[in-house]
Amino acid sequence: MALVIKIKWVQVLACSLLIISFFFVAYYAINPTMIQFTSTFPYVETIDTVQADLNDRKAQQTVDEFKESAQDYDYVTYAELSQNNSLYQGKMINQWGRVKKVIANNKVGRELVLDLDEANTSSLIVVDYHLSDLAKGIPNVKVNDRVKVFGEGSSSENGDGKPVINAHFIKYE
């Protein structure tokens, strides 16, 4: 006497999906990777590992909320900043220009390469920032955006000798 077992195609499909999902879970458990989705996907050429800054929990401010604090930041020309970078270490400064490059870096946070004089491509600075430094309503910064940066002069220069500003607030210009 033969025993005939009828297997429905739905049962076969469910079992197959279960087995396949087990292999994916096992693979990612053995080879952990960070899967990151950002709103800048079409604009960022390459993304290195970006770690979350757990200490950066400040709320984004609106332009009106920041307006009173903006008076504490002095404008510094590119010539002053590049030639006397050490004088502006820890000083509250502001700059504006066009974004040439957006970089998600290996440190905590992100970087912008900002062109201060669009006619002269040698007037480039680097701006270190966090997403919470952007004005409320700005999800992220893209190449060719005109922005105004309020921040602190940094004693360090990046590898290319460009001055660095640690941003406190970034708004569209």
Side-chain angles (χ1 to χ4, degrees), residues 30-76:
I30 294 170
N31 303 311
T33 60
M34 284 182 50
I35 300 174
Q36 178 181 4
F37 298 99
T38 65
S39 63
T40 62
F41 173 72
Y43 307 107
V44 177
E45 294 170 4
T46 60
I47 297 180
D48 296 330
T49 303
V50 178
Q51 302 170 1
D53 183 358
L54 300 178
N55 297 325
D56 183 37
R57 296 180 184 260
K58 72 177 187 178
Q60 284 182 306
Q61 296 179 341
T62 63
V63 174
D64 290 335
E65 292 170 339
F66 186 77
K67 192 175 276 186
E68 189 174 312
S69 301
Q71 298 170 3
D72 298 335
Y73 294 83
D74 296 321
Y75 173 74
V76 178

Side-chain angles (χ1 to χ4, degrees), residues 5-130:
I5 300 175
K6 285 188 172 181
I7 299 177
K8 295 183 179 178
W9 68 272
V10 174
Q11 293 169 332
V12 171
L13 182 63
C15 186
S16 299
L17 289 174
L18 183 64
I19 291 170
I20 290 171
S21 64
F22 172 75
F23 283 116
F24 279 115
V25 169
Y27 174 77
Y28 285 109
I30 294 170
N31 303 311
T33 60
M34 284 182 50
I35 300 174
Q36 178 181 4
F37 298 99
T38 65
S39 63
T40 62
F41 173 72
Y43 307 107
V44 177
E45 294 170 4
T46 60
I47 297 180
D48 296 330
T49 303
V50 178
Q51 302 170 1
D53 183 358
L54 300 178
N55 297 325
D56 183 37
R57 296 180 184 260
K58 72 177 187 178
Q60 284 182 306
Q61 296 179 341
T62 63
V63 174
D64 290 335
E65 292 170 339
F66 186 77
K67 192 175 276 186
E68 189 174 312
S69 301
Q71 298 170 3
D72 298 335
Y73 294 83
D74 296 321
Y75 173 74
V76 178
T77 65
Y78 175 78
E80 292 171 352
L81 190 60
S82 64
Q83 293 171 3
N84 302 309
N85 192 26
S86 61
L87 292 177
Y88 296 101
Q89 176 183 358
K91 304 289 187 212
M92 308 293 243
I93 59 177
N94 73 63
Q95 278 288 351
W96 63 86
R98 187 171 301 278
V99 176
K100 286 294 182 189
K101 192 172 189 180
V102 179
I103 305 165
N105 59 23
N106 287 332
K107 299 178 286 182
V108 176
R110 300 162 189 265
E111 287 181 341
L112 297 175
V113 175
L114 197 62
D115 186 0
L116 304 183
D117 180 8
E118 296 171 26
N120 180 4
T121 57
S122 65
S123 300
L124 301 176
I125 65 169
V126 175
V127 177
D128 286 332
Y129 73 103
H130 299 278

